[in-house]
PDB file of all heavy atoms in Angstrom:
ATOM      1  N   ASP A 239       9.458  19.965  -8.115  1.00 92.00           N
ATOM      2  CA  ASP A 239      10.492  18.941  -8.363  1.00 92.00           C
ATOM      3  C   ASP A 239       9.950  17.527  -8.149  1.00 92.00           C
ATOM      4  O   ASP A 239      10.362  16.594  -8.828  1.00 92.00           O
ATOM      5  CB  ASP A 239      11.692  19.106  -7.399  1.00 92.00           C
ATOM      6  CG  ASP A 239      12.404  20.427  -7.578  1.00 92.00           C
ATOM      7  OD1 ASP A 239      12.369  20.971  -8.698  1.00 92.00           O
ATOM      8  OD2 ASP A 239      13.004  20.915  -6.591  1.00 92.00           O
ATOM      9  N   ILE A 240       9.068  17.379  -7.154  1.00 94.00           N
ATOM     10  CA  ILE A 240       8.620  16.020  -6.789  1.00 94.00           C
ATOM     11  C   ILE A 240       7.189  15.765  -7.255  1.00 94.00           C
ATOM     12  O   ILE A 240       6.576  14.770  -6.887  1.00 94.00           O
ATOM     13  CB  ILE A 240       8.710  15.814  -5.259  1.00 94.00           C
ATOM     14  CG1 ILE A 240       7.996  16.944  -4.523  1.00 94.00           C
ATOM     15  CG2 ILE A 240      10.159  15.656  -4.823  1.00 94.00           C
ATOM     16  CD1 ILE A 240       7.751  16.648  -3.081  1.00 94.00           C
ATOM     17  N   SER A 241       6.672  16.671  -8.070  1.00 96.00           N
ATOM     18  CA  SER A 241       5.293  16.567  -8.548  1.00 96.00           C
ATOM     19  C   SER A 241       5.065  15.217  -9.221  1.00 96.00           C
ATOM     20  O   SER A 241       5.877  14.780 -10.030  1.00 96.00           O
ATOM     21  CB  SER A 241       5.063  17.706  -9.555  1.00 96.00           C
ATOM     22  OG  SER A 241       3.740  17.697 -10.007  1.00 96.00           O
ATOM     23  N   GLY A 242       4.000  14.522  -8.862  1.00 97.00           N
ATOM     24  CA  GLY A 242       3.716  13.241  -9.518  1.00 97.00           C
ATOM     25  C   GLY A 242       2.790  12.361  -8.710  1.00 97.00           C
ATOM     26  O   GLY A 242       2.205  12.772  -7.704  1.00 97.00           O
ATOM     27  N   LEU A 243       2.671  11.133  -9.179  1.00 98.00           N
ATOM     28  CA  LEU A 243       1.800  10.116  -8.567  1.00 98.00           C
ATOM     29  C   LEU A 243       2.660   9.163  -7.744  1.00 98.00           C
ATOM     30  O   LEU A 243       3.704   8.711  -8.221  1.00 98.00           O
ATOM     31  CB  LEU A 243       1.100   9.359  -9.704  1.00 98.00           C
ATOM     32  CG  LEU A 243       0.309   8.101  -9.379  1.00 98.00           C
ATOM     33  CD1 LEU A 243      -0.921   8.436  -8.559  1.00 98.00           C
ATOM     34  CD2 LEU A 243      -0.128   7.417 -10.671  1.00 98.00           C
ATOM     35  N   TYR A 244       2.217   8.890  -6.515  1.00 98.00           N
ATOM     36  CA  TYR A 244       2.972   7.987  -5.626  1.00 98.00           C
ATOM     37  C   TYR A 244       2.019   6.977  -5.008  1.00 98.00           C
ATOM     38  O   TYR A 244       0.961   7.349  -4.480  1.00 98.00           O
ATOM     39  CB  TYR A 244       3.630   8.788  -4.494  1.00 98.00           C
ATOM     40  CG  TYR A 244       4.678   9.760  -4.982  1.00 98.00           C
ATOM     41  CD1 TYR A 244       4.314  11.045  -5.372  1.00 98.00           C
ATOM     42  CD2 TYR A 244       6.015   9.386  -5.071  1.00 98.00           C
ATOM     43  CE1 TYR A 244       5.268  11.948  -5.843  1.00 98.00           C
ATOM     44  CE2 TYR A 244       6.973  10.284  -5.537  1.00 98.00           C
ATOM     45  CZ  TYR A 244       6.592  11.558  -5.916  1.00 98.00           C
ATOM     46  OH  TYR A 244       7.542  12.441  -6.380  1.00 98.00           O
ATOM     47  N   ASN A 245       2.411   5.716  -5.015  1.00 98.00           N
ATOM     48  CA  ASN A 245       1.644   4.707  -4.282  1.00 98.00           C
ATOM     49  C   ASN A 245       1.887   4.892  -2.790  1.00 98.00           C
ATOM     50  O   ASN A 245       3.028   5.055  -2.362  1.00 98.00           O
ATOM     51  CB  ASN A 245       2.073   3.306  -4.706  1.00 98.00           C
ATOM     52  CG  ASN A 245       1.689   3.007  -6.137  1.00 98.00           C
ATOM     53  OD1 ASN A 245       0.777   3.626  -6.675  1.00 98.00           O
ATOM     54  ND2 ASN A 245       2.353   2.047  -6.755  1.00 98.00           N
ATOM     55  N   LEU A 246       0.820   4.857  -2.020  1.00 98.00           N
ATOM     56  CA  LEU A 246       0.930   5.024  -0.562  1.00 98.00           C
ATOM     57  C   LEU A 246      -0.073   4.098   0.127  1.00 98.00           C
ATOM     58  O   LEU A 246      -1.240   4.452   0.337  1.00 98.00           O
ATOM     59  CB  LEU A 246       0.666   6.496  -0.185  1.00 98.00           C
ATOM     60  CG  LEU A 246       0.475   6.825   1.304  1.00 98.00           C
ATOM     61  CD1 LEU A 246       1.606   6.282   2.156  1.00 98.00           C
ATOM     62  CD2 LEU A 246       0.366   8.329   1.489  1.00 98.00           C
ATOM     63  N   THR A 247       0.398   2.892   0.405  1.00 97.00           N
ATOM     64  CA  THR A 247      -0.429   1.921   1.127  1.00 97.00           C
ATOM     65  C   THR A 247       0.446   1.314   2.202  1.00 97.00           C
ATOM     66  O   THR A 247       1.659   1.533   2.218  1.00 97.00           O
ATOM     67  CB  THR A 247      -0.881   0.779   0.199  1.00 97.00           C
ATOM     68  OG1 THR A 247       0.290   0.124  -0.302  1.00 97.00           O
ATOM     69  CG2 THR A 247      -1.719   1.279  -0.964  1.00 97.00           C
ATOM     70  N   ALA A 248      -0.145   0.510   3.080  1.00 97.00           N
ATOM     71  CA  ALA A 248       0.672  -0.252   4.021  1.00 97.00           C
ATOM     72  C   ALA A 248       1.523  -1.240   3.241  1.00 97.00           C
ATOM     73  O   ALA A 248       1.179  -1.610   2.110  1.00 97.00           O
ATOM     74  CB  ALA A 248      -0.242  -1.006   4.983  1.00 97.00           C
ATOM     75  N   ALA A 249       2.619  -1.681   3.856  1.00 96.00           N
ATOM     76  CA  ALA A 249       3.441  -2.718   3.222  1.00 96.00           C
ATOM     77  C   ALA A 249       2.789  -4.083   3.446  1.00 96.00           C
ATOM     78  O   ALA A 249       1.970  -4.252   4.345  1.00 96.00           O
ATOM     79  CB  ALA A 249       4.844  -2.684   3.809  1.00 96.00           C
ATOM     80  N   GLY A 250       3.180  -5.046   2.628  1.00 97.00           N
ATOM     81  CA  GLY A 250       2.659  -6.405   2.762  1.00 97.00           C
ATOM     82  C   GLY A 250       1.328  -6.554   2.045  1.00 97.00           C
ATOM     83  O   GLY A 250       0.866  -5.629   1.374  1.00 97.00           O
ATOM     84  N   GLU A 251       0.731  -7.712   2.188  1.00 97.00           N
ATOM     85  CA  GLU A 251      -0.568  -7.955   1.535  1.00 97.00           C
ATOM     86  C   GLU A 251      -1.350  -8.996   2.313  1.00 97.00           C
ATOM     87  O   GLU A 251      -0.779  -9.797   3.054  1.00 97.00           O
ATOM     88  CB  GLU A 251      -0.340  -8.426   0.092  1.00 97.00           C
ATOM     89  CG  GLU A 251       0.467  -9.722  -0.011  1.00 97.00           C
ATOM     90  CD  GLU A 251       0.687 -10.147  -1.456  1.00 97.00           C
ATOM     91  OE1 GLU A 251       1.293  -9.358  -2.213  1.00 97.00           O
ATOM     92  OE2 GLU A 251       0.249 -11.257  -1.816  1.00 97.00           O
TER      93      GLU A 251
END
Side-chain angles (χ1 to χ4, degrees):
D239 298 332
I240 52 166
S241 183
L243 170 68
Y244 295 87
N245 293 337
L246 169 52
T247 60
E251 60 181 60

